[in-house]
Amino acid sequence: MTTQVLTGQQIAAAELDGWTLLLSFGQGGLETRIHTENFTQGLRIVESIGKAAEELGHHADLDLRAFQVDVRLSSRDGGGVTETDVTLARQVTDIVAAAGAELECGSLTHIELGLDTPAYAKIAPFWAAVFNSEHVIGTEAWGDVGDPRGGLPMIWFRTAEARSEQRVWHPHLWVDPAQVRPRIDAALAAGGTLVSDQGAPSVWVLSDPDGNLLYLNTWQPGDSSLCDSQYRPGGSNWIDRS
């Protein structure tokens, strides 16, 4: 089997029922979702997939839940899907059928956050810091912030000549309480601003150097409405930094 990356058309021609090609951080991968009766069945399927991958000298990204297993297959060295991934996908399909489980791909999605900005190089370090991710610089037209562990959605930036009068996108990022101070410190060091801590220890509001807001949330009780009412777009205390 070759290590050449397959095109979308080539993958479609393989007719892999229950699988789909999805991009994640710019790299294609074959993905499926296996619906299981219980955790034990899912664990056994995961073990079988792991054994099949080892026999091929390959790997698989597996997410085991109580009633499902998500599978993503890609060749990191090749930067996409190769014949080895297709072969492993067929084996996974056989493993699932033998276990009496079902696979499908209609419910699978990936989330990316996009922002038009006149100068992404100025604000990208802030988002990389607060997301504990990496800043990837592209051409003059784009730049990305991506989590190397794949646990967070990718943020991509596109240069734009004009900006909206109101900057309304502001992700809500949930973290462990112990991560709040390090994330805030990193964000401030990257040029950000702590806009409000009135909702602490439930929520803090941060701003990147260009005025875009992020809500840093924890499970701890607090009055998040203090931040929501004060910084809601169009509200009486809304900060317009445009």
Side-chain angles (χ1 to χ4, degrees):
M1 286 178 282
T2 69
T3 58
Q4 182 178 357
V5 176
L6 302 177
T7 66
Q9 291 84 353
Q10 290 173 318
I11 295 171
E15 297 182 346
L16 299 170
D17 291 338
W19 293 82
T20 187
L21 173 65
L22 291 178
L23 293 179
S24 179
F25 296 97
Q27 179 173 303
L30 282 174
E31 300 197 24
T32 191
R33 172 162 290 162
I34 304 168
H35 296 278
T36 58
E37 295 179 356
N38 49 50
F39 180 81
T40 301
Q41 185 187 41
L43 181 59
R44 290 172 179 167
I45 290 175
V46 165
E47 290 174 344
S48 297
I49 294 174
K51 182 179 179 180
E54 284 189 351
E55 291 176 350
L56 285 173
H58 202 40
H59 56 265
D61 293 331
L62 304 171
D63 183 3
L64 172 62
R65 304 295 177 94
F67 296 100
Q68 72 183 42
V69 179
D70 288 350
V71 183
R72 179 176 173 86
L73 305 177
S74 65
S75 298
R76 296 185 179 92
D77 294 340
V81 176
T82 66
E83 291 181 2
T84 303
D85 297 299
V86 173
T87 298
L88 183 54
R90 296 191 191 281
Q91 294 184 6
V92 170
T93 299
D94 292 340
I95 290 170
V96 172
E102 297 180 354
L103 55 78
E104 57 88 18
C105 59
S107 62
L108 290 169
T109 60
H110 282 297
I111 299 174
E112 294 183 352
L113 305 176
L115 177 64
D116 290 342
T117 172
Y120 73 82
K122 179 178 69 172
I123 66 175
F126 167 89
W127 293 100
V130 76
F131 270 55
N132 191 25
S133 297
E134 295 180 354
H135 176 207
V136 179
I137 300 176
T139 66
E140 294 182 357
W142 66 270
D144 294 338
V145 166
D147 178 7
R149 297 161 296 276
L152 295 173
M154 182 180 70
I155 302 176
W156 56 270
F157 307 92
R158 182 178 61 186
T159 55
E161 296 181 358
R163 297 295 307 276
S164 171
E165 293 183 0
Q166 288 189 343
R167 296 162 186 175
V168 296
W169 83 273
H170 42 86
H172 287 240
L173 181 66
W174 291 82
V175 298
D176 183 87
Q179 286 292 311
V180 171
R181 190 69 257 170
R183 297 294 180 92
I184 291 177
D185 290 344
L188 298 182
T193 301
L194 177 60
V195 177
S196 174
D197 59 1
Q198 293 187 42
S202 176
V203 58
W204 292 255
V205 181
L206 299 170
S207 168
D208 72 11
D210 205 24
N212 302 294
L213 299 183
L214 176 137
Y215 286 56
L216 194 63
N217 300 269
T218 74
W219 57 264
Q220 295 174 313
D223 190 358
S224 61
S225 64
L226 291 175
C227 291
D228 289 338
S229 61
Q230 186 173 3
Y231 299 103
R232 184 182 302 114
S236 59
N237 294 316
W238 172 251
I239 299 176
D240 184 0
R241 302 174 186 269
S242 55

